[in-house]
Tab-separated table of all heavy atoms in Angstrom:
chain	number	residue	atom	x	y	z
M	9	ASN	N	1.282	4.612	-15.610
M	9	ASN	CA	0.715	4.159	-14.312
M	9	ASN	C	1.442	2.894	-13.821
M	9	ASN	O	1.928	2.115	-14.574
M	9	ASN	CB	-0.698	3.933	-14.347
M	9	ASN	CG	-1.507	5.276	-14.450
M	9	ASN	OD1	-0.956	6.315	-14.293
M	9	ASN	ND2	-2.803	5.093	-14.658
M	10	PHE	N	1.504	2.808	-12.512
M	10	PHE	CA	2.158	1.617	-11.877
M	10	PHE	C	1.117	0.898	-11.008
M	10	PHE	O	0.485	1.591	-10.114
M	10	PHE	CB	3.309	2.139	-11.057
M	10	PHE	CG	4.097	1.046	-10.359
M	10	PHE	CD1	5.085	0.388	-11.102
M	10	PHE	CD2	3.932	0.916	-8.994
M	10	PHE	CE1	5.846	-0.534	-10.425
M	10	PHE	CE2	4.722	-0.069	-8.391
M	10	PHE	CZ	5.663	-0.787	-9.100
M	11	ALA	N	0.850	-0.366	-11.274
M	11	ALA	CA	-0.144	-1.142	-10.440
M	11	ALA	C	0.468	-1.620	-9.193
M	11	ALA	O	1.571	-2.206	-9.197
M	11	ALA	CB	-0.702	-2.216	-11.390
M	12	VAL	N	-0.248	-1.331	-8.109
M	12	VAL	CA	0.149	-1.864	-6.811
M	12	VAL	C	-0.959	-2.689	-6.313
M	12	VAL	O	-2.143	-2.277	-6.258
M	12	VAL	CB	0.472	-0.742	-5.770
M	12	VAL	CG1	0.904	-1.252	-4.447
M	12	VAL	CG2	1.434	0.203	-6.360
M	13	SER	N	-0.669	-3.939	-5.782
M	13	SER	CA	-1.860	-4.759	-5.260
M	13	SER	C	-1.306	-5.537	-4.089
M	13	SER	O	-0.098	-5.729	-3.885
M	13	SER	CB	-2.314	-5.749	-6.344
M	13	SER	OG	-1.310	-6.565	-6.767
M	14	GLY	N	-2.236	-5.998	-3.291
M	14	GLY	CA	-1.879	-6.751	-2.078
M	14	GLY	C	-2.999	-7.754	-1.774
M	14	GLY	O	-4.095	-7.567	-2.228
M	15	SER	N	-2.714	-8.758	-1.071
M	15	SER	CA	-3.694	-9.675	-0.595
M	15	SER	C	-3.399	-10.125	0.826
M	15	SER	O	-2.256	-10.125	1.267
M	15	SER	CB	-3.737	-10.926	-1.535
M	15	SER	OG	-2.496	-11.589	-1.480
M	16	GLY	N	-4.449	-10.483	1.555
M	16	GLY	CA	-4.261	-10.939	2.945
M	16	GLY	C	-5.250	-11.995	3.298
M	16	GLY	O	-6.257	-12.123	2.668
M	17	GLY	N	-4.913	-12.691	4.286
M	17	GLY	CA	-5.747	-13.722	4.829
M	17	GLY	C	-5.207	-14.183	6.228
M	17	GLY	O	-4.099	-13.901	6.513
M	18	GLY	N	-6.032	-14.835	6.986
M	18	GLY	CA	-5.652	-15.334	8.272
M	18	GLY	C	-6.258	-16.595	8.529
M	18	GLY	O	-6.849	-17.318	7.693
M	19	LEU	N	-6.231	-17.025	9.734
M	19	LEU	CA	-6.692	-18.329	10.199
M	19	LEU	C	-8.237	-18.419	9.922
M	19	LEU	O	-8.814	-19.442	9.654
M	19	LEU	CB	-6.439	-18.663	11.590
M	19	LEU	CG	-4.972	-18.861	11.899
M	19	LEU	CD1	-4.703	-19.038	13.380
M	19	LEU	CD2	-4.384	-19.988	11.156
M	20	SER	N	-8.905	-17.243	9.962
M	20	SER	CA	-10.401	-17.181	9.794
M	20	SER	C	-10.722	-16.663	8.426
M	20	SER	O	-11.824	-16.225	8.246
M	20	SER	CB	-11.055	-16.388	10.895
M	20	SER	OG	-10.585	-15.158	10.856
M	21	GLY	N	-9.751	-16.669	7.442
M	21	GLY	CA	-10.069	-16.151	6.148
M	21	GLY	C	-9.811	-14.758	6.028
M	21	GLY	O	-9.034	-14.148	6.792
M	22	SER	N	-10.538	-14.065	5.162
M	22	SER	CA	-10.318	-12.583	4.948
M	22	SER	C	-11.282	-11.720	5.681
M	22	SER	O	-11.186	-10.508	5.652
M	22	SER	CB	-10.403	-12.334	3.491
M	22	SER	OG	-11.667	-12.626	2.989
M	23	ALA	N	-12.247	-12.280	6.431
M	23	ALA	CA	-13.202	-11.526	7.222
M	23	ALA	C	-12.473	-10.683	8.262
M	23	ALA	O	-11.656	-11.181	8.980
M	23	ALA	CB	-14.243	-12.416	7.852
M	24	GLY	N	-12.820	-9.409	8.336
M	24	GLY	CA	-12.269	-8.533	9.304
M	24	GLY	C	-10.927	-8.025	9.027
M	24	GLY	O	-10.322	-7.285	9.882
M	25	ILE	N	-10.381	-8.185	7.783
M	25	ILE	CA	-9.003	-7.720	7.468
M	25	ILE	C	-9.206	-6.267	6.863
M	25	ILE	O	-10.050	-6.067	5.982
M	25	ILE	CB	-8.360	-8.641	6.547
M	25	ILE	CG1	-7.968	-9.952	7.152
M	25	ILE	CG2	-7.074	-7.979	5.914
M	25	ILE	CD1	-7.343	-10.939	6.307
M	26	THR	N	-8.374	-5.436	7.331
M	26	THR	CA	-8.284	-4.084	6.787
M	26	THR	C	-6.872	-3.858	6.236
M	26	THR	O	-5.999	-4.122	6.954
M	26	THR	CB	-8.634	-2.964	7.796
M	26	THR	OG1	-10.004	-3.187	8.368
M	26	THR	CG2	-8.579	-1.568	7.179
M	27	GLN	N	-6.800	-3.505	4.968
M	27	GLN	CA	-5.469	-3.264	4.316
M	27	GLN	C	-5.381	-1.784	4.012
M	27	GLN	O	-6.346	-1.129	3.576
M	27	GLN	CB	-5.334	-4.045	3.020
M	27	GLN	CG	-5.489	-5.596	3.295
M	27	GLN	CD	-5.227	-6.382	2.042
M	27	GLN	OE1	-4.052	-6.286	1.440
M	27	GLN	NE2	-6.188	-7.075	1.588
M	28	ARG	N	-4.176	-1.265	4.047
M	28	ARG	CA	-3.979	0.109	3.820
M	28	ARG	C	-2.649	0.198	2.945
M	28	ARG	O	-1.694	-0.538	3.195
M	28	ARG	CB	-3.762	0.931	5.094
M	28	ARG	CG	-5.064	1.141	5.816
M	28	ARG	CD	-4.850	2.051	6.993
M	28	ARG	NE	-6.076	2.536	7.591
M	28	ARG	CZ	-6.873	1.790	8.412
M	28	ARG	NH1	-6.382	0.587	8.793
M	28	ARG	NH2	-7.989	2.235	8.870
M	29	LEU	N	-2.595	1.161	2.041
M	29	LEU	CA	-1.495	1.347	1.168
M	29	LEU	C	-0.997	2.806	1.385
M	29	LEU	O	-1.834	3.725	1.285
M	29	LEU	CB	-1.853	1.074	-0.246
M	29	LEU	CG	-0.716	1.270	-1.303
M	29	LEU	CD1	0.360	0.182	-1.040
M	29	LEU	CD2	-1.225	1.216	-2.681
M	30	TYR	N	0.291	2.952	1.575
M	30	TYR	CA	0.892	4.322	1.702
M	30	TYR	C	2.039	4.427	0.619
M	30	TYR	O	2.742	3.558	0.471
M	30	TYR	CB	1.581	4.441	3.165
M	30	TYR	CG	0.591	4.189	4.269
M	30	TYR	CD1	0.341	2.945	4.777
M	30	TYR	CD2	-0.058	5.318	4.869
M	30	TYR	CE1	-0.573	2.740	5.828
M	30	TYR	CE2	-0.938	5.120	5.978
M	30	TYR	CZ	-1.172	3.840	6.456
M	30	TYR	OH	-1.989	3.581	7.471
M	31	ILE	N	2.066	5.660	0.135
M	31	ILE	CA	3.147	6.020	-0.805
M	31	ILE	C	3.819	7.239	-0.200
M	31	ILE	O	3.082	8.228	-0.002
M	31	ILE	CB	2.710	6.206	-2.223
M	31	ILE	CG1	2.132	4.906	-2.716
M	31	ILE	CG2	3.806	6.757	-3.109
M	31	ILE	CD1	1.581	5.009	-4.137
M	32	ASP	N	5.014	7.178	0.061
M	32	ASP	CA	5.777	8.309	0.711
M	32	ASP	C	5.054	8.831	1.984
M	32	ASP	O	4.929	9.953	2.214
M	32	ASP	CB	5.992	9.432	-0.254
M	32	ASP	CG	6.885	9.053	-1.466
M	32	ASP	OD1	7.750	8.174	-1.233
M	32	ASP	OD2	6.686	9.602	-2.536
M	33	ASN	N	4.582	7.756	2.789
M	33	ASN	CA	4.031	8.002	4.041
M	33	ASN	C	2.611	8.664	4.016
M	33	ASN	O	2.078	9.096	5.101
M	33	ASN	CB	4.936	8.818	5.042
M	33	ASN	CG	6.233	8.105	5.274
M	33	ASN	OD1	6.207	6.934	5.576
M	33	ASN	ND2	7.256	8.805	5.141
M	34	LYS	N	1.988	8.684	2.877
M	34	LYS	CA	0.641	9.186	2.740
M	34	LYS	C	-0.286	8.127	2.238
M	34	LYS	O	-0.012	7.352	1.307
M	34	LYS	CB	0.577	10.297	1.589
M	34	LYS	CG	-0.778	10.912	1.340
M	34	LYS	CD	-0.746	11.852	0.235
M	34	LYS	CE	-2.128	12.317	-0.061
M	34	LYS	NZ	-2.206	13.098	-1.296
M	35	GLN	N	-1.396	7.923	3.057
M	35	GLN	CA	-2.336	6.781	2.739
M	35	GLN	C	-3.001	7.202	1.479
M	35	GLN	O	-3.562	8.214	1.307
M	35	GLN	CB	-3.336	6.683	3.861
M	35	GLN	CG	-4.274	5.460	3.569
M	35	GLN	CD	-5.268	5.221	4.648
M	35	GLN	OE1	-4.919	5.241	5.841
M	35	GLN	NE2	-6.485	4.947	4.250
M	36	VAL	N	-2.942	6.236	0.499
M	36	VAL	CA	-3.557	6.485	-0.804
M	36	VAL	C	-4.656	5.428	-1.112
M	36	VAL	O	-5.405	5.700	-2.031
M	36	VAL	CB	-2.411	6.392	-1.972
M	36	VAL	CG1	-1.444	7.481	-1.825
M	36	VAL	CG2	-1.716	4.982	-1.969
M	37	ALA	N	-4.793	4.381	-0.355
M	37	ALA	CA	-5.793	3.411	-0.537
M	37	ALA	C	-6.091	2.579	0.677
M	37	ALA	O	-5.203	2.418	1.520
M	37	ALA	CB	-5.491	2.499	-1.685
M	38	MET	N	-7.355	2.137	0.810
M	38	MET	CA	-7.740	1.286	1.882
M	38	MET	C	-8.774	0.360	1.399
M	38	MET	O	-9.632	0.681	0.600
M	38	MET	CB	-8.347	2.096	3.074
M	38	MET	CG	-8.626	1.197	4.304
M	38	MET	SD	-9.374	2.192	5.646
M	38	MET	CE	-11.029	2.189	5.135
M	39	ALA	N	-8.753	-0.895	1.896
M	39	ALA	CA	-9.698	-1.935	1.472
M	39	ALA	C	-10.016	-2.864	2.614
M	39	ALA	O	-9.130	-3.060	3.506
M	39	ALA	CB	-9.230	-2.724	0.239
M	40	THR	N	-11.176	-3.437	2.601
M	40	THR	CA	-11.458	-4.472	3.601
M	40	THR	C	-11.594	-5.749	2.820
M	40	THR	O	-12.067	-5.779	1.694
M	40	THR	CB	-12.819	-4.180	4.390
M	40	THR	OG1	-13.814	-4.050	3.540
M	40	THR	CG2	-12.616	-2.982	5.260
M	41	GLY	N	-11.208	-6.860	3.392
M	41	GLY	CA	-11.304	-8.174	2.825
M	41	GLY	C	-9.931	-8.633	2.309
M	41	GLY	O	-8.882	-8.120	2.769
M	42	ALA	N	-10.000	-9.523	1.343
M	42	ALA	CA	-8.703	-10.207	0.969
M	42	ALA	C	-7.836	-9.487	-0.014
M	42	ALA	O	-6.658	-9.776	-0.158
M	42	ALA	CB	-9.115	-11.579	0.320
M	43	SER	N	-8.308	-8.435	-0.710
M	43	SER	CA	-7.492	-7.783	-1.776
M	43	SER	C	-7.532	-6.320	-1.784
M	43	SER	O	-8.572	-5.684	-1.383
M	43	SER	CB	-7.778	-8.330	-3.084
M	43	SER	OG	-9.120	-8.039	-3.474
M	44	LEU	N	-6.470	-5.696	-2.247
M	44	LEU	CA	-6.411	-4.265	-2.381
M	44	LEU	C	-5.664	-4.028	-3.665
M	44	LEU	O	-4.653	-4.719	-3.993
M	44	LEU	CB	-5.617	-3.633	-1.202
M	44	LEU	CG	-5.294	-2.167	-1.272
M	44	LEU	CD1	-5.448	-1.547	0.143
M	44	LEU	CD2	-3.943	-1.919	-1.822
M	45	SER	N	-6.115	-3.052	-4.437
M	45	SER	CA	-5.375	-2.641	-5.598
M	45	SER	C	-5.416	-1.141	-5.813
M	45	SER	O	-6.427	-0.542	-5.426
M	45	SER	CB	-5.959	-3.357	-6.861
M	45	SER	OG	-7.270	-2.979	-7.053
M	46	TYR	N	-4.358	-0.565	-6.422
M	46	TYR	CA	-4.235	0.817	-6.599
M	46	TYR	C	-3.418	1.088	-7.885
M	46	TYR	O	-2.462	0.402	-8.117
M	46	TYR	CB	-3.561	1.401	-5.377
M	46	TYR	CG	-3.386	2.931	-5.480
M	46	TYR	CD1	-4.451	3.808	-5.339
M	46	TYR	CD2	-2.032	3.406	-5.716
M	46	TYR	CE1	-4.206	5.187	-5.357
M	46	TYR	CE2	-1.860	4.803	-5.786
M	46	TYR	CZ	-2.925	5.630	-5.613
M	46	TYR	OH	-2.743	7.085	-5.690
M	47	SER	N	-3.879	2.039	-8.596
M	47	SER	CA	-3.139	2.528	-9.867
M	47	SER	C	-2.469	3.827	-9.498
M	47	SER	O	-3.069	4.848	-9.382
M	47	SER	CB	-4.100	2.641	-11.032
M	47	SER	OG	-3.327	2.981	-12.195
M	48	TRP	N	-1.125	3.799	-9.476
M	48	TRP	CA	-0.340	4.948	-9.058
M	48	TRP	C	0.067	5.648	-10.340
M	48	TRP	O	0.803	5.138	-11.206
M	48	TRP	CB	0.824	4.545	-8.285
M	48	TRP	CG	1.745	5.556	-7.704
M	48	TRP	CD1	1.449	6.842	-7.502
M	48	TRP	CD2	3.107	5.425	-7.463
M	48	TRP	NE1	2.523	7.546	-7.007
M	48	TRP	CE2	3.649	6.679	-6.954
M	48	TRP	CE3	4.025	4.337	-7.447
M	48	TRP	CZ2	4.885	6.948	-6.511
M	48	TRP	CZ3	5.358	4.561	-7.074
M	48	TRP	CH2	5.786	5.824	-6.551
M	49	ASN	N	-0.370	6.903	-10.437
M	49	ASN	CA	0.019	7.700	-11.629
M	49	ASN	C	1.438	8.305	-11.377
M	49	ASN	O	1.577	9.337	-10.750
M	49	ASN	CB	-1.035	8.836	-11.831
M	49	ASN	CG	-0.733	9.633	-13.118
M	49	ASN	OD1	0.324	9.523	-13.734
M	49	ASN	ND2	-1.668	10.468	-13.552
M	50	THR	N	2.450	7.620	-11.836
M	50	THR	CA	3.818	8.073	-11.633
M	50	THR	C	4.215	9.280	-12.390
M	50	THR	O	5.274	9.878	-12.137
M	50	THR	CB	4.803	6.925	-11.893
M	50	THR	OG1	4.574	6.472	-13.269
M	50	THR	CG2	4.492	5.782	-10.922
M	51	LYS	N	3.391	9.720	-13.343
M	51	LYS	CA	3.788	10.897	-14.177
M	51	LYS	C	3.587	12.178	-13.253
M	51	LYS	O	4.260	13.199	-13.574
M	51	LYS	CB	2.780	11.096	-15.333
M	51	LYS	CG	3.006	10.010	-16.384
M	51	LYS	CD	1.995	10.113	-17.558
M	51	LYS	CE	2.232	9.067	-18.524
M	51	LYS	NZ	1.264	9.053	-19.595
M	52	LYS	N	2.935	12.024	-12.124
M	52	LYS	CA	2.711	13.164	-11.285
M	52	LYS	C	3.699	13.285	-10.050
M	52	LYS	O	3.447	14.075	-9.192
M	52	LYS	CB	1.289	13.256	-10.778
M	52	LYS	CG	0.258	13.398	-11.899
M	52	LYS	CD	-1.196	13.494	-11.386
M	52	LYS	CE	-2.157	13.804	-12.464
M	52	LYS	NZ	-3.475	13.987	-11.968
M	53	VAL	N	4.599	12.338	-9.967
M	53	VAL	CA	5.572	12.365	-8.890
M	53	VAL	C	6.929	12.721	-9.366
M	53	VAL	O	7.342	12.517	-10.542
M	53	VAL	CB	5.556	10.971	-8.148
M	53	VAL	CG1	4.184	10.679	-7.591
M	53	VAL	CG2	5.995	9.909	-8.996
M	54	ARG	N	7.715	13.305	-8.388
M	54	ARG	CA	9.069	13.588	-8.769
M	54	ARG	C	9.952	12.388	-9.019
M	54	ARG	O	9.722	11.380	-8.458
M	54	ARG	CB	9.651	14.485	-7.558
M	54	ARG	CG	9.702	13.722	-6.304
M	54	ARG	CD	10.499	14.426	-5.195
M	54	ARG	NE	10.226	13.746	-3.898
M	54	ARG	CZ	10.844	12.583	-3.593
M	54	ARG	NH1	11.631	11.972	-4.387
M	54	ARG	NH2	10.639	12.048	-2.348
M	55	ALA	N	11.050	12.641	-9.709
M	55	ALA	CA	12.041	11.589	-9.946
M	55	ALA	C	12.714	11.332	-8.663
M	55	ALA	O	12.923	12.196	-7.827
M	55	ALA	CB	13.013	11.994	-11.029
M	56	GLY	N	13.195	10.054	-8.432
M	56	GLY	CA	13.912	9.700	-7.268
M	56	GLY	C	13.271	8.565	-6.499
M	56	GLY	O	12.449	7.777	-7.122
M	57	GLN	N	13.660	8.322	-5.301
M	57	GLN	CA	13.257	7.216	-4.514
M	57	GLN	C	11.802	7.499	-3.913
M	57	GLN	O	11.495	8.646	-3.534
M	57	GLN	CB	14.108	6.892	-3.405
M	57	GLN	CG	15.434	6.273	-3.750
M	57	GLN	CD	16.275	5.844	-2.512
M	57	GLN	OE1	16.009	6.230	-1.400
M	57	GLN	NE2	17.198	5.013	-2.800
M	58	HIS	N	11.014	6.454	-3.870
M	58	HIS	CA	9.613	6.495	-3.274
M	58	HIS	C	9.411	5.266	-2.437
M	58	HIS	O	9.836	4.192	-2.800
M	58	HIS	CB	8.512	6.634	-4.393
M	58	HIS	CG	8.701	7.851	-5.135
M	58	HIS	ND1	8.235	9.115	-4.700
M	58	HIS	CD2	9.326	8.143	-6.268
M	58	HIS	CE1	8.454	10.003	-5.528
M	58	HIS	NE2	9.200	9.431	-6.594
M	59	ARG	N	8.764	5.481	-1.295
M	59	ARG	CA	8.532	4.411	-0.326
M	59	ARG	C	7.141	3.969	-0.423
M	59	ARG	O	6.173	4.726	-0.363
M	59	ARG	CB	8.791	4.961	1.136
M	59	ARG	CG	8.610	4.003	2.234
M	59	ARG	CD	8.937	4.654	3.565
M	59	ARG	NE	9.053	3.803	4.657
M	59	ARG	CZ	7.952	3.373	5.400
M	59	ARG	NH1	6.802	3.887	5.145
M	59	ARG	NH2	8.114	2.489	6.462
M	60	ILE	N	6.915	2.634	-0.627
M	60	ILE	CA	5.620	2.024	-0.723
M	60	ILE	C	5.450	1.104	0.475
M	60	ILE	O	6.324	0.267	0.662
M	60	ILE	CB	5.333	1.254	-2.027
M	60	ILE	CG1	5.484	2.332	-3.216
M	60	ILE	CG2	3.978	0.603	-2.012
M	60	ILE	CD1	5.513	1.557	-4.525
M	61	GLU	N	4.357	1.276	1.242
M	61	GLU	CA	4.189	0.422	2.396
M	61	GLU	C	2.700	-0.132	2.389
M	61	GLU	O	1.773	0.693	2.216
M	61	GLU	CB	4.335	1.180	3.699
M	61	GLU	CG	4.117	0.309	4.996
M	61	GLU	CD	4.337	1.067	6.307
M	61	GLU	OE1	4.469	2.283	6.249
M	61	GLU	OE2	4.284	0.365	7.301
M	62	ALA	N	2.608	-1.433	2.497
M	62	ALA	CA	1.317	-2.071	2.685
M	62	ALA	C	1.134	-2.591	4.088
M	62	ALA	O	2.068	-3.238	4.554
M	62	ALA	CB	1.163	-3.125	1.598
M	63	THR	N	0.054	-2.326	4.641
M	63	THR	CA	-0.205	-2.868	6.004
M	63	THR	C	-1.573	-3.610	6.041
M	63	THR	O	-2.453	-3.341	5.234
M	63	THR	CB	-0.256	-1.742	7.038
M	63	THR	OG1	-1.465	-0.948	6.832
M	63	THR	CG2	0.956	-0.928	7.055
M	64	ALA	N	-1.669	-4.529	6.854
M	64	ALA	CA	-2.878	-5.300	7.091
M	64	ALA	C	-3.137	-5.614	8.575
M	64	ALA	O	-2.223	-5.729	9.293
M	64	ALA	CB	-2.825	-6.661	6.340
M	65	ARG	N	-4.400	-5.504	8.972
M	65	ARG	CA	-4.789	-5.779	10.365
M	65	ARG	C	-6.133	-6.629	10.321
M	65	ARG	O	-7.027	-6.386	9.577
M	65	ARG	CB	-5.064	-4.410	11.055
M	65	ARG	CG	-5.556	-4.592	12.493
M	65	ARG	CD	-5.816	-3.240	13.106
M	65	ARG	NE	-6.179	-3.410	14.422
M	65	ARG	CZ	-5.466	-3.101	15.503
M	65	ARG	NH1	-4.237	-2.624	15.287
M	65	ARG	NH2	-5.880	-3.186	16.723
M	66	ASP	N	-6.068	-7.748	11.116
M	66	ASP	CA	-7.208	-8.568	11.157
M	66	ASP	C	-8.138	-8.169	12.388
M	66	ASP	O	-7.814	-7.312	13.148
M	66	ASP	CB	-6.848	-10.062	11.200
M	66	ASP	CG	-6.075	-10.518	12.423
M	66	ASP	OD1	-6.096	-9.763	13.444
M	66	ASP	OD2	-5.603	-11.624	12.421
M	67	ALA	N	-9.247	-8.849	12.477
M	67	ALA	CA	-10.203	-8.520	13.517
M	67	ALA	C	-9.662	-8.764	14.881
M	67	ALA	O	-10.086	-8.111	15.844
M	67	ALA	CB	-11.532	-9.377	13.238
M	68	ALA	N	-8.651	-9.600	15.072
M	68	ALA	CA	-8.072	-9.932	16.398
M	68	ALA	C	-7.048	-8.906	16.665
M	68	ALA	O	-6.453	-8.921	17.785
M	68	ALA	CB	-7.472	-11.340	16.368
M	69	GLY	N	-6.753	-7.973	15.769
M	69	GLY	CA	-5.643	-6.984	16.080
M	69	GLY	C	-4.273	-7.316	15.600
M	69	GLY	O	-3.288	-6.507	15.867
M	70	ASN	N	-4.080	-8.392	14.990
M	70	ASN	CA	-2.771	-8.855	14.481
M	70	ASN	C	-2.514	-7.981	13.204
M	70	ASN	O	-3.369	-7.686	12.444
M	70	ASN	CB	-2.800	-10.299	14.018
M	70	ASN	CG	-3.072	-11.277	15.213
M	70	ASN	OD1	-2.395	-11.185	16.233
M	70	ASN	ND2	-4.106	-12.053	15.074
M	71	THR	N	-1.197	-7.480	13.107
M	71	THR	CA	-0.842	-6.637	12.060
M	71	THR	C	0.341	-7.234	11.365
M	71	THR	O	1.174	-7.939	11.879
M	71	THR	CB	-0.505	-5.224	12.572
M	71	THR	OG1	0.590	-5.375	13.429
M	71	THR	CG2	-1.738	-4.591	13.152
M	72	ALA	N	0.529	-6.840	10.045
M	72	ALA	CA	1.598	-7.166	9.239
M	72	ALA	C	1.868	-5.960	8.302
M	72	ALA	O	0.935	-5.292	7.956
M	72	ALA	CB	1.392	-8.500	8.438
M	73	SER	N	3.144	-5.801	7.846
M	73	SER	CA	3.446	-4.778	6.893
M	73	SER	C	4.620	-5.107	6.029
M	73	SER	O	5.391	-6.044	6.425
M	73	SER	CB	3.638	-3.419	7.661
M	73	SER	OG	4.897	-3.462	8.393
M	74	GLN	N	4.680	-4.542	4.868
M	74	GLN	CA	5.774	-4.746	3.934
M	74	GLN	C	6.095	-3.393	3.336
M	74	GLN	O	5.203	-2.675	2.909
M	74	GLN	CB	5.312	-5.781	2.870
M	74	GLN	CG	6.458	-6.078	1.929
M	74	GLN	CD	7.522	-6.893	2.520
M	74	GLN	OE1	7.252	-7.842	3.253
M	74	GLN	NE2	8.761	-6.540	2.284
M	75	VAL	N	7.376	-3.083	3.280
M	75	VAL	CA	7.822	-1.761	2.735
M	75	VAL	C	8.787	-2.146	1.605
M	75	VAL	O	9.643	-2.974	1.641
M	75	VAL	CB	8.607	-0.967	3.788
M	75	VAL	CG1	9.169	0.249	3.149
M	75	VAL	CG2	7.585	-0.678	4.894
M	76	VAL	N	8.630	-1.442	0.471
M	76	VAL	CA	9.606	-1.455	-0.615
M	76	VAL	C	9.917	0.000	-1.010
M	76	VAL	O	9.195	0.874	-0.830
M	76	VAL	CB	9.073	-2.265	-1.857
M	76	VAL	CG1	8.856	-3.688	-1.523
M	76	VAL	CG2	7.838	-1.670	-2.485
M	77	THR	N	11.115	0.117	-1.516
M	77	THR	CA	11.510	1.434	-2.119
M	77	THR	C	11.670	1.238	-3.633
M	77	THR	O	12.285	0.254	-4.074
M	77	THR	CB	12.846	1.765	-1.478
M	77	THR	OG1	12.647	1.978	-0.054
M	77	THR	CG2	13.282	3.217	-2.035
M	78	VAL	N	11.095	2.190	-4.327
M	78	VAL	CA	11.190	2.121	-5.729
M	78	VAL	C	11.799	3.446	-6.366
M	78	VAL	O	11.738	4.458	-5.690
M	78	VAL	CB	9.776	1.944	-6.518
M	78	VAL	CG1	9.237	0.611	-6.053
M	78	VAL	CG2	8.874	2.999	-6.093
M	79	LEU	N	12.417	3.350	-7.494
M	79	LEU	CA	12.898	4.580	-8.172
M	79	LEU	C	12.051	4.977	-9.372
M	79	LEU	O	11.615	4.124	-10.077
M	79	LEU	CB	14.358	4.237	-8.656
M	79	LEU	CG	15.389	4.036	-7.570
M	79	LEU	CD1	16.742	3.676	-8.250
M	79	LEU	CD2	15.630	5.277	-6.807
M	80	ARG	N	11.910	6.242	-9.566
M	80	ARG	CA	11.210	6.733	-10.752
M	80	ARG	C	12.258	7.628	-11.463
M	80	ARG	O	12.899	8.355	-10.921
M	80	ARG	CB	10.002	7.565	-10.438
M	80	ARG	CG	9.364	8.106	-11.660
M	80	ARG	CD	8.402	9.172	-11.319
M	80	ARG	NE	7.855	9.843	-12.501
M	80	ARG	CZ	8.546	10.614	-13.340
M	80	ARG	NH1	9.808	10.796	-13.158
M	80	ARG	NH2	8.011	11.171	-14.386
C-alpha cells in the first residue's frame, strides 16, 4: 500500500475546508477540516504512470490543487 495524505488551512483555520483526492481522475477520498489521508492499494493497479491530484476548497470558495505523477 501507498499512503497519501494532505493538509490544509486558511486565514480562518481549517473550518469549512473540503479536501478531495483523485487517482487517475477518479475521486477516491474526501475529508472536511485540516487533514486527509488515504491508503492506496497499489497491488490492484496496472503498472505504469498514475496521476494523483489533491484539491482543497475553503468556505469562501478559494481553491488550491496539487498534481503529481507516480510510477508503479
Side-chain angles (χ1 to χ4, degrees):
N9 286 352
F10 183 78
V12 181
S13 62
S15 62
L19 294 176
S20 59
S22 61
I25 293 178
T26 301
Q27 298 184 64
R28 289 183 168 82
L29 180 68
Y30 301 86
I31 297 177
D32 295 330
N33 299 314
K34 178 182 174 188
Q35 183 176 317
V36 295
M38 183 180 85
T40 57
S43 64
L44 175 143
S45 63
Y46 178 74
S47 181
W48 182 25
N49 184 350
T50 56
K51 293 178 184 178
K52 295 183 177 185
V53 298
R54 62 173 169 70
Q57 288 189 342
H58 296 277
R59 181 181 190 270
I60 299 174
E61 179 180 10
T63 66
R65 180 182 179 104
D66 68 11
N70 300 304
T71 61
S73 64
Q74 182 69 46
V75 175
V76 296
T77 301
V78 295
L79 291 173
R80 178 195 174 291

